[in-house]
Amino acid sequence: MNRIKKGDRVIVTAGKDKGKQGDVVRVLGDKVVVSNINLVKRHTKPNPQINQPGGVIEREAPIHVSNVMHFNPASGKGERIGTKVLEDGRRLRVFRSSGEAIDA
C-alpha cells in the first residue's frame, strides 16, 4: 500500500522547495509530481498536430517520495504515515502521532 496517493496534501522536506506545500498530481513508482513544486523549464519544439506552440515551457518535474511528507492540517506539520487493518480486512492510512485516519 502506497503511503502517498494522488490528491494528498504534502509538504516538501528536502531540496530547493523545502517547506512548500502542494497537492500530489501523479504518482510514478517511487516519485511523485506535486503541483507548483520542483518547476523546471523545458525547451519544446512546436507541434502543429496537437496545436502546441514552441518555446520555453515551465512544468513540474517528479520529486522522490522520500523528500515529501503527508501534511497534517490539525498540527500544521508534516507527519509520518502508518496503516491500520480494520475488522473487515480493509487497510486504513493513519497519522502515526495521533492515530487519526487520513482517508475516511
Side-chain angles (χ1 to χ4, degrees), residues 6-91:
K6 179 181 176 178
D8 286 348
R9 187 98 176 137
V10 295
I11 187 166
V12 180
T13 59
K16 65 180 182 179
D17 293 321
K18 182 176 180 176
K20 291 185 182 177
Q21 295 176 25
D23 295 322
V24 175
V25 177
R26 253 184 0 252
V27 178
L28 308 165
D30 61 348
K31 295 189 177 205
V32 291
V33 177
V34 183
S35 61
N36 296 322
I37 302 291
N38 198 21
L39 293 174
V40 294
K41 291 187 185 321
R42 172 108 173 111
H43 297 260
T44 59
K45 282 184 163 182
N47 188 346
Q49 291 178 345
I50 58 172
N51 253 354
Q52 179 184 12
V56 181
I57 297 171
E58 202 169 33
R59 66 175 192 161
E60 297 108 356
I63 185 169
H64 198 271
V65 76
S66 67
N67 294 330
V68 296
M69 281 184 108
H70 204 284
F71 182 73
N72 187 354
S75 67
K77 295 190 265 187
E79 298 204 5
R80 296 186 300 157
I81 303 282
T83 57
K84 191 163 99 174
V85 181
L86 301 176
E87 295 89 24
D88 58 357
R90 289 185 300 137
R91 287 174 172 259

